Amino acid sequence: MRNDQYTPRPAQGRLGILLPGLGAVSTTFIAGVELARRGLARPIGSVTQYGTIRLGKRTDKRSPRIKDFVPLAELNDLVFGAWDPFPQDAYESALNAGVLDRFVHIEPIADFLKTVKPMPAAFDQRYVKKLEGINVKPGRKRAWADALREDIRRFKAENGCDRLVMVWCGSTEVYIKAGPAHASLEAFEAAIDADDDAIAPSMLYAYAAIMEGVPYANGAPNLSADIPALTALAQERGVPVAGKDFKTGQTLMKTIIAPGLKARMLGLEGWFSTNILGNRDGEVLDDPESFKTKEESKLSVLEHILQPEMYPDLYKNFYHKVRINYYPPRGDAKEGWDAIDIRGWLDYPMQIKVDFLCRDSILAAPIVLDLALFLDLASRSGLGGIQEWLSFFLKSPMHAPEVYPEHDLFIQQMKLKNTLRWLMGEEQITHLGLEYYLAEAEAAAGI
Ligand SMILES: NC(=O)c1ccc[n+]([C@@H]2O[C@H](COP(=O)([O-])OP(=O)(O)OC[C@H]3O[C@@H](n4cnc5c(N)ncnc54)[C@H](O)[C@@H]3O)[C@@H](O)[C@H]2O)c1
């Protein structure tokens, strides 16, 4: 398929990254970008900063860096804004989060971090039970939506930004099922006016962003933009959206291991996943209603990768359990255990144990950067609505209603790279590779 219509415009001027939620992930992300800009640390884990992309045949030896291939915003052109119900600036919040080493990675850039001060949040404790905010907007939902739109415009003007993107790094909200209030824009707007409980604050940020033409990504599992009213609005206005839930830690491991087991047709009997973590996110997820939102997001991954309906002999009725336990001593340094019971030749049982001593925000920060830069690219390319090619970064990828979500990390990666090739008018890579052999065979046979 050729692309004549969606060639990206160059990335000129400043790109503002707006972050609802100035907690562990956001501050680790902001600090990381600033440290990288000053040459004090490396942005490892970022596909936009380190990834390469093969073009043409293997014999062509063309594999530029992704950032030299597609026009992406430079780190030096990024500016940051945030909202949070807690008034602490990025410096204090980074100290509280306890992710980064104070003397190595926070104090040297304290002057910069202190300039990122959260705007008052559109916040209601009924959606995040464990938090009590004081830096909050007055009024109710319609007033909050209007105020968020005003914040967006003011931020853009005050910071001389050419473009903006928004990435939700706020807490996981309580579980809400998509219903009539989310079915159409009319119903959604009426529900805002009626202050309906079905409208969570994260939906108001998404709505404000789309109305202002700002691409939006959701790093948490709550619905936010993933409702028909907002995906249709994004499509109609040509605003790219992506979500949900950053793919880090245990789910990242799951989407690496499960496709491998399936590729080799090894059976699965059970997969037990448990986590201990002690950061604020862990505390929020200690509330059963917020955990339910997260659990839904984590559970569906294996079903979609393993396709039990196609391989009933191997994957029907496998037992899958996910637990998250709040355990303060660990802070942000999470421990995720997986006990995986598999079956091989003649049904012989085998076990795999994974003990991932990971750092949640260290894994999430590069995803914030990559989603922001790729969404900005999508916007400059004229792509609107759901950006399924960004599923690579997400645990519960948003997708068109007629298809199932693609969870396999390696298919997601191919989709991402082929989308970049398509945008730049390069050939898709199928990995067929027969031409290297058939040409010789044909020549030998005198064809
Ligand atoms: N770190 C990871 O690996 C990872 C992976 C996937 C998803 N996530 C999600 O990313 C989000 C952020 O994680 P974190 O570790 O930074 O959590 P955190 O608790 O440190 O930060 C979240 C911040 O959001 C703020 N907040 C809550 N409601 C808000 C609202 N309505 N408006 C603005 N701000 C609001 C909170 O006050 C808090 O400061 C969470 O939802 C988490 O589940 C994190």
Side-chain angles (χ1 to χ4, degrees), residues 113-373:
L113 292 174
K114 284 178 186 171
T115 64
V116 184
K117 298 184 181 11
M119 297 179 266
F123 178 78
D124 180 339
Q125 202 194 3
R126 285 180 309 148
Y127 296 88
V128 188
K129 303 241 157 83
K130 298 263 175 175
L131 301 184
E132 261 174 66
I134 50 163
N135 183 39
V136 297
K137 293 193 186 303
R140 295 299 305 167
K141 289 175 182 163
R142 173 54 72 183
W144 294 348
D146 292 343
L148 289 171
R149 294 184 63 180
E150 185 53 40
D151 288 345
I152 293 171
R153 274 179 248 144
R154 197 183 51 249
F155 180 88
K156 188 172 182 189
E158 283 178 2
N159 290 280
C161 293
D162 180 58
R163 308 167 318 281
L164 301 173
V165 296
M166 190 186 291
V167 184
W168 172 271
C169 294
S171 310
T172 301
E173 295 171 326
V174 297
Y175 183 67
I176 294 179
K177 231 178 152 48
H182 312 118
S184 68
L185 187 61
E186 295 69 44
F188 182 78
E189 296 212 312
I192 295 180
D193 291 328
D195 218 32
D196 191 324
D197 284 349
I199 308 296
S202 67
M203 293 177 188
L204 297 176
Y205 286 90
Y207 169 73
I210 298 166
M211 291 299 278
E212 293 299 319
V214 174
Y216 179 84
N218 175 16
N222 34 254
L223 286 173
S224 197
D226 195 10
I227 51 176
L230 293 181
T231 52
L233 182 68
Q235 180 81 44
E236 192 186 298
R237 299 202 159 214
V239 181
V241 292
K244 314 177 297 270
D245 209 2
F246 302 130
K247 175 143 88 175
T248 59
Q250 198 166 54
T251 308
L252 174 64
M253 287 299 144
K254 239 174 221 174
T255 62
I256 291 172
I257 295 170
L261 296 176
K262 182 179 154 202
R264 298 299 285 260
M265 291 288 108
L266 291 164
L268 181 71
E269 257 199 317
W271 196 311
F272 174 60
S273 302
T274 187
N275 299 272
I276 54 175
L277 80 162
N279 57 14
R280 192 186 285 160
D281 187 32
E283 193 181 356
V284 166
L285 292 171
D286 216 30
D287 170 48
E289 288 187 70
S290 284
F291 174 66
K292 186 163 167 46
T293 314
K294 198 71 162 181
E295 190 183 24
E296 290 264 325
S297 173
K298 284 177 167 262
L299 279 179
S300 64
V301 167
L302 282 185
E303 286 280 329
H304 285 293
I305 293 179
L306 299 174
Q307 297 175 296
E309 67 296 344
M310 279 176 74
Y311 304 99
D313 288 347
L314 301 177
Y315 303 124
K316 200 166 154 234
N317 300 329
F318 67 83
Y319 193 85
H320 189 196
K321 195 165 200 75
V322 178
R323 284 282 166 264
I324 297 180
N325 306 288
Y326 178 53
Y327 180 59
R330 281 302 166 85
D332 196 66
K334 179 162 90 177
E335 180 155 5
W337 283 283
D338 286 285
I340 311 165
D341 288 283
I342 64 173
R343 291 267 165 176
W345 185 247
L346 315 178
D347 256 281
Y348 276 84
M350 292 175 269
Q351 298 184 28
I352 303 171
K353 309 283 179 205
V354 180
D355 184 6
F356 190 13
L357 298 161
C358 71
R359 294 172 187 270
D360 250 7
S361 304
I362 293 295
L363 291 169
I367 298 183
V368 182
L369 176 63
D370 290 344
L371 279 174
L373 298 193

